[in-house]
Amino acid sequence: MKYVGTLCVEFFIDRNDNLYVNEIAPRVHNSGHLTLNAYNISQFENHIRAVCSLEQIPLKKLSNAEMINLIGNQIVPYRNNPKLNNNQFLFDYLKKHIKKNRKMGHLTTLK
C-alpha cells in the first residue's frame, strides 16, 4: 500500500472476549477522537500533516482515556446541564434531529 494519511482499524470485543474487526477506514475516525485530549497531538492534525507532506509529530500518550459514544437521547442531559469533571470532555456533534441509534456526540474521560 502506498497510502498516505490516517488509517483506522476499529475493533470490538464481545462479552466472551472474542475480537472482531468492525471497520477499516482510510480517514480519521471517531474511535480515535480521544487523541484530542489524551495525546500530545490529535489524529486530525497528524492526518493533515501527512496529506500535506508536513513533518509528522510522533504520537505520545499523555493519559489513559475512555470514550463513550452518546447515542440518540443520551445527548439530552448533556445539552440541558453539562456537569462535567475536570477530566471529562464533551463533544456534541450539534445534530439538530435526535434519532434512535444516531450518534449525537461523545464523552472522553481521562484516567
Side-chain angles (χ1 to χ4, degrees):
M1 284 178 46
K2 293 184 179 181
Y3 181 77
V4 174
T6 301
L7 180 66
C8 175
V9 180
E10 182 178 66
F11 296 94
F12 287 137
I13 300 173
D14 69 15
R15 58 186 72 144
N16 296 318
D17 288 333
N18 294 308
L19 180 68
Y20 298 94
V21 173
N22 179 60
E23 180 181 2
I24 298 173
R27 56 178 168 73
V28 294
H29 191 270
N30 69 320
S31 62
H33 285 357
L34 57 86
T35 61
L36 289 165
N37 305 102
Y39 288 78
N40 65 318
I41 188 165
S42 75
Q43 66 172 342
F44 300 99
E45 183 173 341
N46 256 348
H47 177 74
I48 295 300
R49 289 176 161 282
V51 299
C52 292
S53 299
L54 299 172
E55 177 187 354
Q56 290 294 286
I57 296 174
L59 190 65
K60 292 180 184 165
K61 183 168 70 168
L62 303 175
S63 176
N64 289 331
E66 177 181 87
M67 189 184 84
I68 298 171
N69 289 322
L70 300 172
I71 309 296
N73 287 329
Q74 292 175 335
I75 193 72
V76 173
Y78 294 100
R79 285 184 174 174
N80 292 338
N81 191 11
K83 293 182 181 178
L84 302 175
N85 297 325
N86 290 338
N87 65 329
Q88 293 181 309
F89 302 88
L90 173 66
F91 294 87
D92 185 340
Y93 302 161
L94 302 175
K95 296 176 181 176
K96 291 182 181 180
H97 302 289
I98 296 174
K99 298 178 185 174
K100 182 181 178 183
N101 298 325
R102 185 180 196 192
K103 193 179 309 176
M104 302 299 296
H106 71 269
L107 181 69
T108 300
T109 303
L110 300 181
K111 302 291 183 171

